[in-house]
Amino acid sequence: MLDAATYTPRLKTHFRETIRPAMKEEFGYKNDMQIPRLDKIVLNMGLGEALQNAKLLDAAEADVLGQPIADDTELWAHCEQTGGGFAELLTRVAGGADRRLLEQARALGVYVRLAEIVTELGADLRRERCYLPRDRL
């Protein structure tokens, strides 16, 4: 677990070291107190299914903490949580309630998320985030 006393979130560091100086220069702020600040960042994740599947909770925690995905099982759990859950939600919003339809939507969402991971691999690596297990690179 992270040591809360010494840990600084990556976004906070990036904001302080990169974004604030860029805003000061771009907008011509004379005083650091004029630069807008971040008060709070809230991450919302739907984790209702984690009650039945502990791997989903582990995948969500790893994603928030920026931990690498270790193997195919973790990759699949991540895709089920993000892609599958989202696709099922969209299907329900559109009026789909049939169990088989929801399962198909969830499966499609998993595969869409996998394709998205491959498509965005370059950008993710530049942000020091990789959703593929190291042995798959």
Side-chain angles (χ1 to χ4, degrees):
M1 199 45 87
L2 296 172
D3 180 17
T6 60
Y7 175 72
T8 303
R10 289 178 297 166
L11 182 58
K12 184 175 185 178
T13 301
H14 179 71
F15 184 78
R16 184 176 49 234
E17 295 175 0
T18 306
I19 297 172
R20 283 183 55 92
M23 289 177 72
K24 186 173 184 177
E25 182 179 328
E26 182 175 339
F27 298 109
Y29 296 131
K30 304 289 185 224
N31 184 328
D32 284 348
M33 297 302 289
Q34 293 176 298
I35 303 171
R37 65 177 193 209
L38 295 177
D39 288 326
K40 177 170 59 170
I41 298 173
V42 177
L43 299 175
N44 285 327
M45 298 181 79
L47 296 174
E49 288 183 50
L51 297 174
Q52 288 92 23
N53 185 351
K55 286 205 175 286
L56 292 178
L57 186 58
D58 293 340
E61 180 183 20
D63 197 34
V64 169
L65 297 176
Q67 296 171 343
I69 291 176
D71 56 26
D72 289 347
T73 303
E74 285 186 18
L75 174 62
W76 194 260
H78 166 79
C79 292
E80 282 181 332
Q81 175 198 359
T82 55
F86 183 69
E88 183 179 328
L89 173 68
L90 288 179
T91 304
R92 287 182 186 275
V93 168
D98 178 61
R99 183 188 58 77
R100 188 158 185 262
L101 177 64
L102 294 173
E103 287 173 1
Q104 290 173 339
R106 179 170 278 288
L108 180 61
V110 169
Y111 289 111
V112 166
R113 179 64 183 133
L114 283 168
E116 193 177 60
I117 287 170
V118 172
T119 303
E120 297 173 353
L121 184 59
D124 286 339
L125 288 173
R126 284 190 292 279
R127 288 187 304 231
E128 299 179 12
R129 180 67 178 120
C130 181
Y131 290 95
L132 290 178
R134 295 288 177 205
D135 64 343
R136 293 281 185 191
L137 296 176

